[in-house]
Structures are given as C-alpha cells and as structure tokens.
Amino acid sequence: MSKRMTIAVPEALHERLQPFKNQLNISALCQEALDMAIRQEEIKQQAATDECLIARLQAEKQILINHIHQEGYELGLRSASHLSYKDFRHFERVRPLAANFDEDVLDYLWTFLDTKGSPEAIRSLDPDMTHLFAVSDQSRILFCQGWLDGVLHVWDLIKDQVESDS
C-alpha cells in the first residue's frame, strides 16, 4: 500500500516542470530519487558501522599483540635465571636480528625455549593465546621477541657486574 506525501519544490523548478508535466510520472520520479537517496544514506551508515567494527577489531588486535609480547617478556625475565653465560652472550650478539625474525630463527628460538623447559610455561598461558601460537607464526614471533627482550633486560642489568674483574 502506498502512502501519500506532499513535496515542495522551488518555484523555478515548478515552472520548468510544467511543459513536461503530462510526459513525466512525477510520483515515480520522486520515489526513485528518494530510494536512491535512502540507499546512499544506508550505505554511509553501514560504512560507518564497518569503520567502527574495523577500529574496534584493530584495537583488540593491538591489545592481543601487546599481551603476547608481554607474556613472552615476563617468561624471559623468569627464565633468565636458568640461562648460561654463553646463552646471554649469544642472545646479546643476535639482539639486532630480533626485529626481523624469519621462520628459521623462530624455529631455532622455539627449539631453544623447548630445551629450557619453557613450553610448559607457554602451555599454562591463556588457551586462546596458545591456540594463536599453533595457527600463527606471527604470534610465536611476537612471543619470542618478547622473551628475548625480557632475557636481554636481565642481562643489561647484570652484565657490568658479571664482566667486572672483581
């Protein structure tokens, strides 16, 4: 069922319409114009909603990335006490490479963590996080970078005392 509407048009447009009034279906033209205008507004509204969704998901992703790195960092702090002098020196040398981990470096570090008993600590993390390690090398890389940052933080604190000749 149709609803009636009254529209107002400027006088100049009304005058221009008069010669064509019988040839045009003014109601259909107005309906089509309204439909197009409403579709545009709906698309804008949907896009705004999508932008909110994208922004929210990006924020959640950043929180998760920070959490993964922080968990690795804290494990690095805890596991530093089990590392040897040789381990610390090695990780100090490879520090510049930490920003550019590739799969080989990741596999090496993950295996190293495995030999130090760290996977038990990793498995005790949030199940969603451990799932990310299984499905995303990027998550494992972030975790390992955090771990290395934690280990090297401890080393930076004690290195001068260890290296002193006293």
Side-chain angles (χ1 to χ4, degrees), residues 5-21:
M5 288 180 66
T6 302
I7 64 166
V9 295
E11 193 171 317
L13 181 59
H14 186 267
E15 287 177 19
R16 287 178 49 215
L17 174 64
Q18 293 313 304
F20 306 104
K21 188 169 146 179

Side-chain angles (χ1 to χ4, degrees), residues 25-96:
N25 183 339
I26 296 171
S27 180
L29 286 172
C30 288
Q31 287 173 26
E32 187 177 329
L34 281 171
D35 185 54
M36 286 176 32
I38 291 168
R39 280 186 202 197
Q40 284 182 332
E41 291 304 313
E42 288 171 340
I43 289 169
K44 287 180 194 176
Q45 188 176 30
Q46 182 62 43
T49 302
D50 289 347
E51 288 173 14
C52 290
L53 173 63
I54 290 167
R56 180 179 58 81
L57 293 177
Q58 286 174 334
E60 288 177 13
K61 177 184 174 186
Q62 190 59 49
I63 289 168
L64 185 59
I65 286 169
N66 292 344
H67 184 64
I68 289 169
H69 186 270
Q70 184 64 29
E71 289 290 335
Y73 181 83
E74 290 174 11
L75 181 61
L77 294 176
R78 291 190 307 271
S79 63
S81 63
H82 303 290
L83 298 178
S84 68
Y85 176 76
K86 185 178 172 182
D87 292 334
F88 280 114
R89 295 299 300 199
H90 172 72
F91 289 123
E92 183 179 37
R93 281 192 308 277
V94 299
R95 181 189 314 232

Side-chain angles (χ1 to χ4, degrees), residues 36-158:
M36 286 176 32
I38 291 168
R39 280 186 202 197
Q40 284 182 332
E41 291 304 313
E42 288 171 340
I43 289 169
K44 287 180 194 176
Q45 188 176 30
Q46 182 62 43
T49 302
D50 289 347
E51 288 173 14
C52 290
L53 173 63
I54 290 167
R56 180 179 58 81
L57 293 177
Q58 286 174 334
E60 288 177 13
K61 177 184 174 186
Q62 190 59 49
I63 289 168
L64 185 59
I65 286 169
N66 292 344
H67 184 64
I68 289 169
H69 186 270
Q70 184 64 29
E71 289 290 335
Y73 181 83
E74 290 174 11
L75 181 61
L77 294 176
R78 291 190 307 271
S79 63
S81 63
H82 303 290
L83 298 178
S84 68
Y85 176 76
K86 185 178 172 182
D87 292 334
F88 280 114
R89 295 299 300 199
H90 172 72
F91 289 123
E92 183 179 37
R93 281 192 308 277
V94 299
R95 181 189 314 232
L97 303 175
N100 301 311
F101 277 8
D102 61 16
E103 275 190 43
D104 292 335
V105 174
L106 175 63
D107 288 341
Y108 164 75
L109 241 178
W110 207 255
T111 302
F112 181 85
L113 290 173
D114 196 20
T115 63
K116 296 296 182 183
S118 295
E120 288 81 33
I122 293 168
R123 282 190 278 279
S124 70
L125 297 173
D126 179 330
D128 288 338
M129 189 178 301
T130 55
H131 171 73
L132 282 173
F133 294 149
V135 299
S136 168
D137 280 346
Q138 188 61 35
S139 296
R140 293 185 337 154
I141 288 170
L142 288 168
F143 185 85
C144 287
Q145 286 172 328
W147 179 86
L148 190 57
D149 289 345
V151 165
L152 291 174
H153 178 80
V154 171
W155 177 243
D156 289 341
L157 291 174
I158 63 171

